[in-house]
Amino acid sequence: MIFQVRWRHSVHQRAYETRSAVAGERVVVHERSSRLIGLDVRDGGVRWDAPGCRWPGALTIAGGRCLAIAQWQPHPWLLCFEVIAGEQLWRAELPPTTGHLAVAGGAAVVGGWRGYTPLGAHDLGTGSLLWRTPERVAVETPYAVDGHVLVAETGTGRIRRIDARTGGDIAAWRLPEPVLGVDSGPVFLPLDADRVLIRGVSRAVWVLCLPTGEIDRLPGVPEDTGAVRVAGGLVWCDTGEGQVALEPGTAAPWARVPLYGRLVGAVAVESGYVLASDQGKLVAVDPGGAVLGQATVDRRIGALHVTGRDRVLVMGKSELLAVDLRA
């Protein structure tokens, strides 16, 4: 298996997981610390350029719109763009040091990062404030699911499913332990349509079944697991000495894959799976778990996206790369 770089686009800054987003024919990336760029995923051509977005604390694409939190002083802004043409549709002022962003049910839920701000929501169509908690709250990165948002309270095992437009609780659950701490990677990982993985402070991974509310511990997760990713229905656990792939419900590893560096991405492609490490390496794995090939494509990788049957986008050190897999 050969990795072929099809196009590159310089972004002139370090690789961050939260500074790129992909949907359909567009990839939006933060560039030169001051602007958002909309690129065509097919050829890397610039389709729009929106200045005025300094150091986004969060970036996402949902419902044909791109939203970002721009860190201006004294107040940050929540910016909303039409994702294909890049037209700015609205902006809304936010409390200082606002972080976290999730879009669901026609609303953008923001706030709660490190307990610095309240949690609130803005209308996706107009940017108007829909609700805001009266006090500051501390939550981990929220996750949008079926028109609602899952929120994990920092330092506790309490999980809430809230209505994005009202902030009201739809359901609530409690893990046997607190959730994983701040800035330790995503707490919520989608497994399938009904199940979400939740990372605990002990490094255990819990499975929440949304229709029933049942919470079970995922078997087979190594004690020394660092990063966790989900791709193609498999759970990829970074142990520091390689990747352990698990089939949910089965304790025995489905595969063990060597990968130098920390796992920063795992995606399913037509030929199997692609894993990425922070040290700039890509590894291709076939549907049976065997390594097809590996290559160093950059000095550093911050994020990995899939955009085609056998094409991935790599957020590298100072540039975005489109990489094809070829036998």
Side-chain angles (χ1 to χ4, degrees):
M1 183 65 66
I2 299 174
F3 294 98
Q4 296 180 321
V5 177
R6 290 304 187 186
W7 55 260
R8 300 171 182 265
H9 179 83
S10 296
V11 295
H12 305 281
Q13 64 178 14
R14 292 174 56 192
Y16 292 94
E17 186 172 6
T18 58
R19 305 267 166 91
S20 59
V22 179
E25 64 186 73
R26 284 288 178 272
V27 52
V28 179
V29 62
H30 192 235
E31 181 178 314
R32 296 181 185 272
S33 78
S34 63
R35 61 208 317 112
L36 291 178
I37 306 294
L39 306 176
D40 192 310
V41 298
R42 295 164 295 188
D43 58 16
V46 176
R47 297 298 179 261
W48 54 267
D49 181 341
C53 185
R54 293 185 59 83
W55 302 118
L59 175 66
T60 190
I61 297 175
R65 301 190 175 195
C66 174
L67 290 98
I69 297 176
Q71 302 296 333
W72 284 98
Q73 294 295 330
H75 297 284
W77 292 90
L78 177 61
L79 307 177
C80 179
F81 302 89
E82 195 281 325
V83 72
I84 297 299
E87 175 190 3
Q88 183 173 315
L89 302 177
W90 53 261
R91 69 175 188 172
E93 187 175 302
L94 299 174
T97 65
T98 294
H100 293 330
L101 171 62
V103 178
V109 176
V110 296
W113 178 61
R114 294 189 175 184
Y116 292 153
T117 66
L119 192 66
H122 293 260
D123 183 82
L124 189 59
T126 64
S128 60
L129 181 66
L130 296 173
W131 59 269
R132 181 176 288 163
T133 60
E135 69 287 326
R136 294 182 296 176
V137 298
V139 299
E140 299 306 312
T141 305
Y143 173 68
V145 57
D146 294 336
H148 300 142
V149 173
L150 295 181
V151 174
E153 296 179 358
T154 302
T156 76
R158 189 162 187 255
I159 309 297
R160 294 187 295 133
R161 181 173 185 164
I162 66 172
D163 185 314
R165 297 196 65 83
T166 67
D169 284 2
I170 304 297
W173 309 275
R174 187 172 292 277
L175 296 184
E177 63 174 340
V179 296
L180 191 64
V182 67
D183 295 337
S184 300
V187 168
F188 296 109
L189 297 163
L191 184 58
D192 54 36
D194 293 331
R195 296 179 297 172
V196 175
L197 302 184
I198 306 172
R199 303 191 63 196
V201 71
S202 70
R203 305 289 174 169
V205 178
W206 302 90
V207 184
L208 168 62
C209 181
L210 293 170
T212 66
E214 294 180 358
I215 297 177
D216 298 299
R217 185 167 180 164
L218 184 72
V221 177
E223 292 184 358
D224 56 350
T225 292
V228 177
R229 295 290 188 270
V230 177
L234 297 175
V235 182
W236 299 84
C237 303
D238 184 2
T239 67
E241 297 181 352
Q243 312 309 311
V244 174
L246 302 172
E247 288 185 292
T250 304
W254 176 81
R256 295 182 184 273
V257 178
L259 180 67
Y260 178 72
R262 179 175 57 87
L263 180 70
V264 293
V267 296
V269 293
E270 187 176 68
S271 56
Y273 307 90
V274 176
L275 310 180
S277 84
D278 65 337
Q279 299 300 309
K281 292 186 177 295
L282 295 180
V283 173
V285 181
D286 74 10
V291 173
L292 293 170
Q294 56 184 311
T296 299
V297 297
D298 206 296
R299 289 179 291 171
R300 208 46 89 162
I301 295 178
L304 180 70
H305 307 280
V306 61
T307 63
R309 293 182 302 176
D310 269 327
R311 171 171 289 189
V312 295
L313 290 182
V314 177
M315 189 67 179
K317 182 178 175 60
S318 298
E319 61 182 0
L320 182 72
L321 304 88
V323 182
D324 287 349
L325 282 74
R326 291 289 181 264

